[in-house]
Amino acid sequence: MAYSYLVLKKFVPSVNRVLSGSVFRTSLSYKKNCLALLFENVKEKNVALLIELNPGREIIEIRDQYNPPKKNYSELFLHLSGLKVQGVHLQNLERVINLEFENDLLLSLQLFGSNSNLRLIQSGKQVEGFKAREERSRVESGQRTISTNIDHIIPDSLALKKGFPFVDKWTAHYMESKGFFGLSHEKQQTALNDIFQDEDLSSELFINTEDPPELSPFPFKGWSSLGADPIISFREYAWRSRNYFEFKKPREAELKKLKREIQKLDELLIRLKKDLSQKLANDPFSKKADLLMANLHIFQEGITEAEVEDFYTGKKITLKIKENISPQKQAEKWYSKSKNRSLEIEQLQERIRKNKELLSKKEEDLRKTSLIDNIREFNKVSKKAERTSPKSNEQQNLPYKVHYFEGFEIRVGRSGAKNDLLLGSFSKRSDLWFHVRDAAGSHVILVRAQEESIPQEVIQRAAGLAIYNSKRRNEMNCPVIMTERKYVRKIKGAAPGLVKVEREKVVFANPVNS
């Protein structure tokens, strides 16, 4: 709560001096939660009252130089156009600023945290609102009565803030530092009245030096004075607040995100390189097939096991072949497995190459982001990233949502009809298919190359997505059926999403949503 009641009590008289007698021109809503109220003062100069009602972060600012947006805005409160401001007042013990206009119109800015709003009221009824619900507010309806009367001794700051909602944490901290909680009932009452009923309150405001920025009417150790002009103080706070919430905080979050992604890619590349080195170390199937073909004369009919010399190492090894199969057929099978092993090696090498490229890009993004030192450059880079990034699934109108895990692509169908499209046009026979068991849900496709081995953690992630995107999304250790895509067939004339599944296996997993 940057704008406590006492902070506003210092600010509102200055706003009254600036806006009283000025003429309302228009109000522009130019982005989410933001509104600019434009006035022309008695000297025929433009004045803007800027209001941002972001949840947990309000900004109020008076500017005498403001360039209104030329497009992408909407005009509000047209009832006020051409009317004079008769006064600006702070409602007693409330964080409510009322702008009084001609024709019995009242523009009420109600700063209630996540429920902050702006209401245009005439004769006690709401005419129009900005972030305001249709029903009357607690202030407007008179349901909330606040006073500074103390019924009994207040023991601590928690009880103080609970009993008196106009007391913010910094005011409570100040009162505690002055020994308020050790006072008698009568002296506590006097102290509370002295603070909140004092009409000669100094206009000086103070701001902390740490993030996030906060305002206080009281000086604390390590806090800086913003001077005696509350309008300039609010302007300085607005800049610091935007700089923190729109630059420092998101930049830090982006840096942390990039570092996490780089760490995961490093770990993934270590695993992939280890798998590759193991597969390159030897090829037992090709070797065994060569030895078998060189010793066909030993494997006469009925013989399935024999000791032969390994001409690769010069040592004796034992070769075993299956019963009821010829040595030539066994060698053919071993050569086929060796070929598949070569394909796996190629796939591993391709995955390593792609992940190295992605790692290089993330490292470059990290370097560039760490060098940004202002909000304008950060917004510029963010917008450029949005323009150059691949189109979202919604933009491409794909029938599925895409998830990436450990370098694998997982596709999740959007609906019954989209499941059919995913199965028919956006998957290959070699892909793996997942679906939660005994319940309606999305079809999930794990994209893979022919005979590519899939790590168990990737299987678990795909199964978890199938659970989350189903009627069983709240169940733990839930069964999911999986099989190769070639064993899933659409039933002719069946409802969307219904299929016939063969050679399925059951895996148990927990729901995940990303």
Side-chain angles (χ1 to χ4, degrees), residues 295-487:
N295 293 278
L296 285 176
H297 60 284
I298 297 177
F299 289 86
Q300 301 299 324
E301 187 174 347
I303 297 176
T304 59
E305 182 176 335
E307 190 176 71
V308 301
E309 182 181 354
D310 184 350
F311 45 73
Y312 289 102
T313 63
K315 296 179 181 179
K316 294 286 186 178
I317 67 168
T318 300
L319 284 181
K320 294 181 181 180
I321 65 174
K322 291 183 178 180
E323 296 181 4
N324 304 320
I325 188 172
S326 68
Q328 293 87 346
K329 191 69 175 177
Q330 181 67 71
E332 183 182 337
K333 286 193 171 186
W334 281 340
Y335 279 128
S336 177
K337 287 187 176 182
S338 177
K339 182 179 179 181
N340 290 338
R341 191 182 187 85
S342 298
L343 287 174
E344 289 179 4
I345 289 173
E346 290 177 8
Q347 291 159 3
L348 272 173
Q349 290 172 331
E350 180 62 14
R351 287 184 64 197
I352 289 172
R353 184 189 67 79
K354 287 183 177 179
N355 280 286
K356 278 185 175 180
E357 289 180 355
L358 183 57
L359 178 60
S360 296
K361 182 182 181 302
K362 295 293 182 184
E363 288 174 336
E364 179 62 14
D365 289 344
L366 179 64
R367 185 189 68 82
K368 289 181 178 179
T369 304
S370 63
L371 293 175
I372 298 173
D373 61 0
N374 62 81
I375 188 171
R376 181 173 294 181
E377 185 64 23
F378 182 77
N379 290 337
K380 183 179 176 181
V381 171
S382 299
K383 288 179 180 178
K384 183 178 179 182
E386 290 176 3
R387 290 195 302 268
T388 57
S389 64
K391 290 184 178 179
S392 66
N393 300 327
E394 290 77 12
Q395 289 173 321
Q396 293 179 341
N397 199 28
L398 293 174
Y400 57 85
K401 294 175 286 187
V402 179
H403 300 266
Y404 293 97
F405 182 71
E406 300 291 351
F408 288 87
E409 180 180 333
I410 304 172
R411 300 172 179 175
V412 181
R414 294 181 180 277
S415 65
K418 297 293 177 64
N419 283 335
D420 291 345
L421 197 55
L422 170 61
L423 199 65
S425 303
F426 293 91
S427 59
K428 307 189 303 294
R429 288 170 56 83
S430 60
D431 294 338
L432 293 182
W433 176 89
F434 297 79
H435 195 283
V436 70
R437 191 174 188 178
D438 299 330
S442 294
H443 291 211
V444 174
I445 293 292
L446 174 56
V447 179
R448 71 163 185 168
Q450 184 72 30
E451 301 296 331
E452 182 179 11
S453 60
I454 306 295
Q456 187 58 36
E457 57 266 29
V458 179
I459 297 288
Q460 284 290 307
R461 180 55 60 101
L465 286 167
I467 298 168
Y468 185 82
N469 292 277
S470 75
K471 297 289 186 181
R472 303 182 70 170
R473 69 187 319 174
N474 296 318
E475 295 185 28
M476 304 300 286
N477 200 31
C478 182
V480 175
I481 57 174
M482 62 169 284
T483 188
E484 290 185 62
R485 160 65 186 84
K486 62 185 177 183
Y487 299 124

Side-chain angles (χ1 to χ4, degrees), residues 117-323:
N117 62 82
L118 190 63
R119 297 170 184 266
L120 180 60
I121 300 167
Q122 186 173 39
S123 302
K125 293 184 179 180
Q126 180 176 317
V127 177
E128 188 178 352
F130 176 70
K131 293 198 67 183
R133 297 177 181 175
E134 288 299 322
E135 65 268 19
R136 293 185 298 170
S137 72
R138 59 176 180 261
V139 173
E140 177 191 337
S141 61
Q143 295 176 3
R144 176 159 155 158
T145 302
I146 300 178
S147 75
T148 57
N149 293 332
I150 297 178
D151 297 328
H152 50 78
I153 289 179
I154 302 171
D156 52 40
S157 60
L158 182 64
L160 177 64
K161 288 186 287 184
K162 186 176 180 180
F164 302 92
F166 49 83
V167 178
D168 66 298
K169 67 176 181 179
W170 295 117
T171 302
H173 180 64
Y174 173 78
M175 295 169 72
E176 184 176 12
S177 70
K178 297 298 182 181
F180 177 84
F181 301 112
L183 299 176
S184 65
H185 174 268
E186 291 77 11
K187 289 184 177 180
Q188 280 190 344
Q189 182 69 74
T190 301
L192 192 66
N193 288 338
D194 286 346
I195 291 174
F196 285 94
Q197 303 298 338
D198 183 8
E199 298 302 328
D200 298 322
L201 195 66
S202 164
S203 60
E204 187 176 14
L205 288 170
F206 303 87
I207 192 166
N208 58 342
T209 53
E210 299 177 354
D211 288 325
E214 295 193 61
L215 286 173
S216 171
F218 307 107
F220 295 111
K221 186 177 180 180
W223 287 50
S224 301
S225 172
L226 292 174
D229 187 340
I231 288 180
I232 294 177
S233 299
F234 269 53
R235 200 173 293 162
E236 175 67 16
Y237 167 77
W239 181 88
R240 293 196 193 185
S241 180
R242 292 189 188 103
N243 191 55
Y244 172 71
F245 286 102
E246 298 177 21
F247 168 54
K248 288 185 178 180
K249 189 175 181 179
R251 175 181 173 272
E252 187 61 31
E254 181 65 17
L255 288 173
K256 287 182 179 179
K257 176 188 170 187
L258 288 169
K259 287 176 182 177
R260 286 196 304 268
E261 291 174 345
I262 287 170
Q263 182 181 355
K264 287 185 177 181
L265 284 170
D266 280 331
E267 293 170 353
L268 175 60
L269 282 168
I270 289 172
R271 291 199 301 271
L272 291 177
K273 288 176 180 178
K274 183 179 179 181
D275 290 347
L276 179 61
S277 63
Q278 290 174 346
K279 290 184 182 297
L280 289 173
N282 56 65
D283 187 350
F285 296 113
S286 177
K287 177 180 174 181
K288 288 164 65 175
D290 288 344
L291 293 174
L292 180 57
M293 292 301 293
N295 293 278
L296 285 176
H297 60 284
I298 297 177
F299 289 86
Q300 301 299 324
E301 187 174 347
I303 297 176
T304 59
E305 182 176 335
E307 190 176 71
V308 301
E309 182 181 354
D310 184 350
F311 45 73
Y312 289 102
T313 63
K315 296 179 181 179
K316 294 286 186 178
I317 67 168
T318 300
L319 284 181
K320 294 181 181 180
I321 65 174
K322 291 183 178 180
E323 296 181 4

Side-chain angles (χ1 to χ4, degrees), residues 2-16:
Y3 299 140
S4 66
Y5 172 75
L6 290 180
V7 167
L8 293 173
K9 192 173 180 179
K10 294 188 176 190
F11 174 66
V12 170
S14 297
V15 178
N16 182 53

